[in-house]
Amino acid sequence: MDVLVWFRISLILFYLSAVESLHEKLLFANSQSIMEVDVNTHKLTVLVGHGGSVVYSFDYDYENGYVYFPRFTFKDIVRFPYPSQNITLQHVVNTSSYPASIAVDSANGHIYWINDDQSNKLSRCNLDGTNVVVIFTTFNYALMLRLDVKNRWMYIGYFNKGISKSRFNLTETSMIANFQSNSRVRTVGMDIDLTEQRIYWINYYGHIKSVNVDGSDVRTVISTSFPSLEYYALEVFESYIFYYTDDSKQLVMRNKSQGSTPIVLYNSTNWIKGIYVFKSTGMLFKKRDERCERDSQTHRSTIN
């Protein structure tokens, strides 16, 4: 067998072993700081202060290693390197209005955000904050935003209406989920499982539902034990769902199956409105692929 093939197999096995030893991290914002909790050990770490703003969402740039989040109160978007031994906030862009949800398109060097104002406008800029473009200005109550970068789909959640699907330029738009027409059953937490190709959301009654990205097979995944004043934060990763309930002030994870037992990751004395599961395996395999390509090029050069 070719030496390069053996090398690649050995390298992949090495990284797979490393993946098994990695712990996923859940990032969240309380009233003062960005925090990190280890999903397995529940170890809590303060990463950086955010200045006392409301933070509704996060996203991650796996190409360059930055966490992005909007500071609702300060009307701007900031970022910080992660993982890093020297975490400091870097100002990215002023948003002119209150930014609620953010999404990163690393492949094309863009960040998108939706402002929570009368127009709920959708905007975009480069990863460094330059070249701000307003894409759309007439959304009604759009507060949630997720991207499927690989397939070039954008998902927008309207808290009193449903979830729409469109191309990044807002063509081929369709509604894939409709919410109950009731002002008391608002929805402000949404995420996408790219592996399953399903959208998940949680409403104020604590019902977690999902739908295929083509709008088929709507399901109630979990009905929590009691209604909440707020279920803002929702993240999905592999077979688990993460969310925060304002009733018990707990950040929890649980299996997607009905009847699963919630695992408390953190008991909070402050509200939590934004969370993000850092998928360390994504960064690891990106580095593995880059290294394999470099070694492949070196091997070919040696043969030639």
Side-chain angles (χ1 to χ4, degrees):
M1 185 178 291
D2 187 272
V3 174
L4 179 59
V5 175
W6 275 114
F7 175 82
R8 283 181 170 174
I9 293 174
S10 299
L11 190 62
I12 290 172
L13 290 175
F14 168 79
Y15 276 106
L16 285 175
S17 176
V19 167
E20 292 177 354
S21 66
L22 285 175
H23 293 168
E24 303 305 330
K25 311 291 186 180
L26 184 67
L27 307 186
F28 65 93
N30 62 17
S31 61
Q32 295 296 324
S33 302
I34 306 301
M35 314 287 286
E36 171 198 88
V37 59
D38 188 297
V39 171
N40 290 328
T41 67
H42 299 187
K43 178 184 177 182
L44 187 69
T45 303
V46 178
L47 296 180
V48 66
H50 58 64
S53 176
V54 178
V55 177
Y56 284 110
S57 66
F58 295 90
D59 207 356
Y60 190 71
D61 173 12
Y62 275 93
E63 292 290 328
N64 303 289
Y66 281 97
V67 172
Y68 285 80
F69 66 91
R71 295 193 298 182
F72 187 85
T73 311
F74 301 145
K75 301 180 184 180
D76 67 2
I77 293 172
V78 296
R79 69 181 184 182
F80 60 87
Y82 180 84
S84 174
Q85 296 298 316
N86 183 27
I87 295 180
T88 55
L89 284 187
Q90 301 174 10
H91 179 267
V92 177
V93 64
N94 292 320
T95 59
S96 75
S97 189
Y98 300 100
S101 189
I102 191 173
V104 174
D105 176 6
S106 296
N108 294 281
H110 293 145
I111 53 176
Y112 293 78
W113 70 91
I114 290 178
N115 284 334
D116 180 18
D117 57 16
Q118 290 183 349
S119 67
N120 289 122
K121 64 183 178 183
L122 172 69
S123 303
R124 185 192 75 197
C125 71
N126 295 335
L127 291 173
D128 61 2
T130 59
N131 193 28
V132 177
V133 177
V134 176
I135 299 174
F136 202 68
T137 60
T138 55
F139 287 129
N140 291 315
Y141 304 108
L143 294 177
M144 297 160 281
L145 177 64
R146 289 292 187 271
L147 302 179
D148 178 352
V149 174
K150 180 180 179 181
N151 297 303
R152 310 304 297 166
W153 288 108
M154 174 181 293
Y155 298 88
I156 296 174
Y158 306 81
F159 77 80
N160 65 342
K161 182 180 178 182
I163 299 170
S164 71
K165 172 184 179 180
S166 71
R167 294 299 182 183
F168 281 30
N169 61 1
L170 299 183
T171 61
E172 301 182 46
T173 300
S174 63
M175 293 297 294
I176 64 169
N178 294 292
F179 298 155
Q180 182 178 343
S181 181
N182 185 332
S183 61
R184 296 180 59 193
V185 193
R186 297 194 298 171
T187 299
V188 289
M190 182 184 82
D191 197 19
I192 181 172
D193 187 320
L194 293 173
T195 302
E196 291 185 343
Q197 286 290 287
R198 292 187 69 85
I199 300 290
Y200 287 76
W201 68 92
I202 185 169
N203 62 28
Y204 269 25
Y205 279 180
H207 301 312
I208 300 174
K209 298 186 176 184
S210 73
V211 63
N212 285 329
V213 294
D214 63 2
S216 64
D217 190 27
V218 178
R219 304 177 190 172
T220 297
V221 183
I222 293 172
S223 295
T224 59
S225 56
F226 45 80
S228 172
L229 297 176
E230 295 181 352
Y231 281 97
Y232 273 95
L234 178 74
E235 276 280 307
V236 179
F237 179 60
E238 293 183 346
S239 59
Y240 289 95
I241 296 175
F242 302 80
Y243 61 92
Y244 171 79
T245 168
D246 192 57
D247 297 285
S248 58
K249 289 185 167 51
Q250 291 180 330
L251 189 60
V252 302
M253 64 178 286
R254 63 190 299 175
N255 193 278
K256 291 177 181 176
S257 59
Q258 276 281 7
S260 61
T261 302
I263 300 172
V264 178
L265 297 176
Y266 177 65
N267 288 289
S268 176
T269 57
N270 300 306
W271 40 255
I272 295 174
K273 299 183 185 296
I275 63 176
Y276 180 77
V277 180
F278 174 66
K279 306 165 184 66
S280 51
T281 53
M283 175 174 287
L284 191 63
F285 280 108
K286 179 177 182 294
K287 291 180 178 178
R288 181 207 70 195
D289 293 339
E290 290 173 348
R291 182 171 175 181
C292 281
E293 179 60 26
R294 288 197 303 269
D295 289 322
S296 174
Q297 292 172 353
T298 303
H299 181 74
R300 287 195 297 267
S301 298
T302 303
I303 293 175
N304 295 333

